Amino acid sequence: MAEPAGHEITELLQAWRGGDEQALEKLTPEVYRELHNAAHRCMAREGDGHTLQTTALINELYLRLSDLQEVDWQNRAHFFALCARQMRRILIDMARNRRSEKRGGGAFVVSLDEAPEVTASSHADVIAVDDALKAFALVDERKSRMVELRYFGGLTVEETAEVLKVSQETVARDWRMAKAWLLREISGRTGEKGPDES
């Protein structure tokens, strides 16, 4: 099955924003496979016992997207960047709900050693990842956003470069630095030792 062209997605997004009620219905099958793959990667990092499945994450994402009709969609990359942010929020909301239900226990566990890699050996709960990204945003907003795009949205280096309007080399270099920073931050928050702290 051929990947939908970026301009086709952009046209559908702009038609949807312009009031074409059928544009979202036409857009859905065009982007479903890519969103499903990104959601599957997010869910694969979840620990055992999570209650949200890939299809449920996609359904929740579509519900949230339907409330975002007024977004000034720039292009396909902008759409997937927004989807990455929404998936992050969905997972954080679910983790916080579970944590509050169990008074601190049973929160989602997210493996940071899946592709894209953030750490080689530690597992951190999704709230710790979110907290670390918020702290990282205070240090470097662009690198924090890059992690969000790659980790929660599953965007490739090329797609991430397009969204952030930087070169692929910059994304690759920033990615290495971001992994090291996040490993230290998450290890400090959770008390886990990173691979370099033995």
Side-chain angles (χ1 to χ4, degrees):
M1 180 172 152
E3 291 292 323
H7 70 277
E8 293 170 17
I9 292 174
T10 302
E11 288 172 6
L12 287 170
L13 288 166
Q14 291 171 348
W16 176 37
R17 182 176 188 261
D20 182 348
E21 297 297 326
Q22 296 179 351
L24 183 59
E25 291 175 30
K26 293 175 187 173
L27 179 67
T28 299
E30 296 293 325
V31 298
Y32 181 82
R33 188 172 68 170
E34 287 181 75
L35 288 176
H36 189 273
N37 289 340
H40 181 72
R41 285 189 297 271
C42 280
M43 298 312 297
R45 291 189 293 261
E46 296 293 319
D48 292 334
H50 60 80
T51 59
L52 193 63
Q53 299 297 319
T54 300
T55 303
L57 178 56
I58 290 292
N59 290 340
E60 181 65 24
L61 176 62
Y62 277 121
L63 286 173
R64 292 191 185 199
L65 288 176
S66 67
D67 292 335
L68 299 175
Q69 184 175 356
E70 296 304 314
V71 171
D72 184 14
W73 301 107
Q74 298 166 16
N75 54 33
R76 175 190 171 283
H78 181 229
F79 173 76
F80 284 104
L82 189 89
C83 288
R85 175 143 304 165
Q86 292 301 318
M87 282 194 276
R88 175 182 176 184
R89 288 179 178 162
I90 292 165
L91 291 172
I92 296 306
D93 289 348
M94 294 290 294
R96 287 199 170 117
N97 287 340
R98 282 195 65 186
R99 180 170 276 178
S100 67
E101 288 171 10
K102 295 192 175 190
R103 296 179 184 224
F108 288 137
V109 176
V110 178
S111 169
L112 294 178
D113 48 293
E114 298 293 330
E117 292 180 38
V118 173
T119 173
S121 65
S122 81
H123 292 272
D125 117 312
V126 73
I127 295 173
V129 173
D130 185 58
D131 290 344
L133 282 177
K134 287 176 185 173
F136 196 36
L138 297 174
V139 175
D140 192 319
E141 174 68 31
R142 188 189 77 219
K143 288 182 183 83
S144 174
R145 195 153 172 246
M146 178 212 38
V147 172
E148 179 180 67
L149 293 170
R150 299 217 54 224
Y151 184 78
F152 288 99
L155 272 66
T156 65
V157 170
E158 295 80 14
E159 292 166 330
T160 303
E162 181 183 348
V163 170
L164 297 177
K165 296 178 174 51
V166 297
S167 70
Q168 294 177 27
E169 293 78 17
T170 298
V171 171
R173 183 179 57 249
D174 288 354
W175 184 242
R176 288 188 298 273
M177 186 279 228
K179 287 190 295 185
W181 194 95
L182 288 170
L183 175 60
R184 282 193 309 271
E185 182 72 13
I186 291 169
S187 295
R189 288 174 185 269
T190 62
E192 297 178 12
K193 287 189 173 185
D196 299 329
E197 298 177 42
S198 51

